[in-house]
Amino acid sequence: MLRRLWQAVLVLFGVSVVVFFILHLTGDPVGLLLPPDASAEDITRFRKAMGFDDPWIVQYTRFLRGALRGDFGESLRHGEPAMALVLERLPATFQLAGASLLLALCLAIPAGILSAVKRNSAVDYVSTVVALTGQAMPTFWLGIMLILVFSVRLNWLPSSGRGDFQHLILPAVTLGLFTTARITRLTRSGMLEVLGQDYIRTARAKGVSEQPVVWKHALKNASIPIITIVGIELGTLLGGSVITETIFSWPGVGRLSVQAITNRDYPVVQAAVFLLASTFVFLNFLVDVTYTWLDPRIRFR
């Protein structure tokens, strides 16, 4: 457990190093933030006031000390605390990622179980083809196609913004389709492996009906890898919502990050990436703990 925590701290430290130095390699924000007719004296004064004239190691140390206190500085564009801006957008991202994951679980687990139970049937072939198609379809293309069909042609659903339930449908489908396909395939393969075990054959030989065999005995043991991938997928959905939020103008952390990158608003980008990375690391840690709870034979090494 302590080793996992230490690894999580090292990962976050690595994230801070990569994010800080890559962002500062993209260019000087002074030229973007000041007007084109700014004098050399104004540029020098601004660079000194913002600390851009310090060596990178000094800037990084200052950034790291602030990050440990939850202070990522003020947004260069909005003049507000960067972390406050990110936290303000976080509920929208959690809502979108949660809806996508819920949609994926509701579709993928029954489809994976049904596909495994009816192996090599028409249901299995259809489920496999749909899952492969879902994994092969680019998110940006799917989002645009859904907008064209359901918003432009049919006028059934709104194409952008965050409002009532209807606003959530298209972004959730776009973001959750890849996860649905992945969990479907994993559930199918896990169930096929478990259904071939001796204790399943023994239960059937004793006259246990098929429904308890599948839902009580097989699914419980096949759920360990599913829970693992669900935890990882939730972190992926949070971090991977950038494209979906941009396509549907969803006011979440991903869209805020894209705007901040365009404006070279370093504090906001650093705060957003650091928060999403921390969430991803925490979810992985939670998955590890759940993993050992489901299977006591597993121990941290």
Side-chain angles (χ1 to χ4, degrees):
M1 187 74 71
L2 290 176
R3 177 174 293 184
R4 290 289 188 187
L5 286 173
W6 175 240
Q7 289 174 347
V9 172
L10 287 180
V11 169
L12 291 178
F13 175 74
V15 169
S16 71
V17 172
V18 172
V19 169
F20 179 86
F21 285 101
I22 285 183
L23 278 177
H24 281 72
L25 286 175
T26 59
D28 186 0
V30 176
L32 185 68
L33 295 172
L34 290 181
D37 57 348
S39 64
E41 290 78 10
D42 291 336
I43 293 176
T44 303
R45 193 182 308 113
F46 182 80
R47 180 174 281 112
K48 186 174 182 180
M50 299 301 297
F52 292 144
D53 58 341
D54 293 330
W56 284 8
I57 188 64
V58 175
Q59 294 185 49
Y60 173 72
T61 304
R62 186 164 55 229
F63 158 74
L64 194 58
R65 286 176 179 171
L68 293 175
R69 301 193 303 269
D71 180 12
F72 289 82
E74 290 190 351
S75 166
L76 302 180
R77 278 286 173 183
H78 303 280
E80 300 178 24
M83 182 52 79
L85 283 172
V86 175
L87 291 177
E88 185 181 327
R89 303 290 189 94
L90 195 59
T93 297
F94 272 129
Q95 182 189 20
L96 179 57
S100 303
L101 185 62
L102 182 63
L103 177 68
L105 292 177
C106 290
L107 294 177
I109 292 181
I113 293 173
L114 192 62
S115 182
V117 172
K118 298 185 177 298
R119 186 180 185 183
N120 296 330
S121 67
V123 174
D124 185 22
Y125 292 136
V126 171
S127 175
T128 302
V129 170
V130 172
L132 289 173
T133 305
Q135 285 191 291
M137 203 175 298
T139 301
F140 69 90
W141 182 84
L142 175 63
I144 293 172
M145 289 300 107
L146 290 177
I147 289 175
L148 287 176
V149 174
F150 293 100
S151 298
V152 178
R153 290 188 176 277
L154 300 176
N155 198 26
W156 286 356
L157 296 169
S159 62
S160 63
R162 184 191 181 206
D164 54 19
F165 178 72
Q166 288 186 332
H167 288 81
L168 187 60
I169 296 177
L170 293 185
V173 171
T174 303
L175 185 61
L177 185 62
F178 185 87
T179 301
T180 303
R182 179 179 290 180
I183 295 178
T184 299
R185 297 189 65 189
L186 184 69
T187 303
R188 179 184 181 276
S189 60
M191 287 294 292
L192 284 176
E193 182 179 350
V194 173
L195 288 172
Q197 298 292 322
D198 291 339
Y199 70 92
I200 295 293
R201 285 194 288 268
T202 302
R204 285 171 171 163
K206 288 182 177 179
V208 179
S209 61
E210 189 65 17
Q211 191 169 349
V213 168
V214 173
W215 291 98
K216 185 178 179 181
H217 299 288
L219 182 59
K220 181 180 179 182
N221 290 297
S223 63
I224 294 178
I226 298 174
I227 290 176
T228 304
I229 198 68
V230 166
I232 295 174
E233 284 298 315
L234 180 56
T236 305
L237 289 172
L238 290 171
S241 61
V242 174
I243 297 175
T244 304
E245 290 184 1
T246 302
I247 293 174
F248 292 96
S249 299
W250 189 263
V253 177
R255 186 160 178 255
L256 176 68
S257 301
V258 172
Q259 294 170 340
I261 291 171
T262 305
N263 297 327
R264 297 180 187 173
D265 197 346
Y266 299 148
V268 174
V269 178
Q270 290 166 343
V273 174
F274 211 81
L275 185 64
L276 292 177
S278 301
T279 305
F280 189 83
V281 171
F282 172 74
L283 289 173
N284 274 275
F285 179 77
L286 199 62
V287 166
D288 288 338
V289 173
T290 308
Y291 209 88
T292 58
W293 176 70
L294 286 171
D295 190 347
R297 295 171 300 176
I298 299 173
R299 292 290 182 269
F300 294 137
R301 295 178 184 277

